Amino acid sequence: MRRILIVLASAGVLAGCGRKDNQTVAADSLSRDIQLPAPDSTVALSDVPAPPTRTDTVFVPAPAPRRNPPRAVAPAPAPAPAPAPVTPAPVPAAARLVAGTTLEAAAASSITSRTNKPGETFTARIGEAVLAGDGRVVIPAGSIVTLSIVALKPAPNKSATDGTLTLRAESVSINGVAQPLDADVTFVEHTLKGRGVGTSEAAKVGIGAAAGAILGKVVGGGTGAAVGGAVGAGAGAAVAVESANRDVVVPVGAKIRLVLRTAFGA
């Protein structure tokens, strides 16, 4: 028993010595580590990442909020092209009748030297439309021409070839609007109508009879007066007929021709 205790004691001593030696070695090692030079704080350690050297701040934008996709919008219609400027058509010149143009009309009322007097007016109607040189109508058919009587006298006797009739154009009414008309009246269709033996002609007959009676008395003796008177009376009647006035008469529908003295434009 004692032997066993001694062995155990010896073992404990040995173990203690071993532990002491180990502690000594560890102490020495620690002492050597402590005496190592201090590390340079300015040098980055290999196991620690170096701080960033940039001084500016980098901002990471936040993700944009999610929006619904925009709805398709129909494109606006293209504007209509501007209309091309319209050039007004040239206004045609007014249709005109040149001087010398002939107008044909027909009397719308009658005149006679027995009742009508100078200064009075009467009318005539244009028969056919009067056209300008380019074919346009200037005076339509049916237009009314107004004329005035300048002079009007009957034929002085049966042997006279004509009486006196002078007319002047005053105006022409086109679609109800009267316009001055400068034209010569070159032809008027008319007739001569004898008045017969009237009061003045009877006086001429009496003068002829008296002259015949005087002549018969001188020439025929006693009976010559009666014969002469009878012959004188017949001669007086013949003189009355020969010297009777014949009136100038323009009936309705008579042709009247006018010629323009100056140009006319409706």
Side-chain angles (χ1 to χ4, degrees), residues 94-149:
R96 295 179 66 82
L97 301 176
V98 299
T101 301
T102 299
L103 312 180
E104 297 285 350
S109 57
S110 65
I111 58 175
T112 173
S113 59
R114 190 177 186 91
T115 57
N116 295 103
K117 304 298 181 185
E120 296 178 353
T121 61
F122 77 106
T123 58
R125 191 182 305 275
I126 296 293
E128 295 183 359
V130 185
L131 309 180
D134 59 1
R136 286 183 290 173
V137 176
V138 179
I139 302 178
S143 299
I144 300 299
V145 177
T146 299
L147 304 105
S148 62
I149 301 173

Side-chain angles (χ1 to χ4, degrees), residues 8-258:
L8 292 173
S10 297
V13 172
L14 291 174
C17 290
R19 218 175 12 255
K20 181 177 179 180
D21 291 337
N22 292 335
Q23 291 176 351
T24 301
V25 174
D28 290 341
S29 299
L30 181 60
S31 175
R32 285 196 300 271
D33 293 336
I34 293 174
Q35 293 177 0
L36 292 175
D40 187 357
S41 60
T42 62
V43 178
L45 299 180
S46 59
D47 57 348
V48 179
T53 58
R54 294 181 63 180
T55 58
D56 57 340
T57 304
V58 177
F59 294 95
V60 178
R66 184 175 180 182
R67 297 179 180 177
N68 294 329
R71 292 181 299 175
V73 179
V86 178
T87 303
V91 179
R96 295 179 66 82
L97 301 176
V98 299
T101 301
T102 299
L103 312 180
E104 297 285 350
S109 57
S110 65
I111 58 175
T112 173
S113 59
R114 190 177 186 91
T115 57
N116 295 103
K117 304 298 181 185
E120 296 178 353
T121 61
F122 77 106
T123 58
R125 191 182 305 275
I126 296 293
E128 295 183 359
V130 185
L131 309 180
D134 59 1
R136 286 183 290 173
V137 176
V138 179
I139 302 178
S143 299
I144 300 299
V145 177
T146 299
L147 304 105
S148 62
I149 301 173
V150 176
L152 180 59
K153 295 179 180 180
N157 51 61
K158 189 175 181 179
S159 60
T161 58
D162 207 347
T164 300
L165 176 60
T166 305
L167 303 177
R168 180 176 61 233
E170 297 289 344
S171 64
V172 57
S173 180
I174 300 174
N175 299 323
V177 179
Q179 301 184 40
L181 183 64
D182 183 17
D184 289 323
V185 179
T186 60
F187 173 78
V188 179
E189 185 179 16
H190 64 284
T191 61
L192 294 177
K193 183 177 180 180
R195 293 184 180 180
V197 180
T199 303
S200 60
E201 285 73 21
K204 294 178 183 180
V205 169
I207 294 172
I214 294 171
L215 181 61
K217 185 176 181 180
V218 170
V219 174
T223 60
V227 175
V231 173
V239 170
V241 173
E242 290 293 336
S243 63
N245 294 337
R246 291 187 299 164
D247 288 308
V248 175
V249 178
V250 178
V252 174
K255 294 180 181 180
I256 299 175
R257 183 176 301 119
L258 306 94

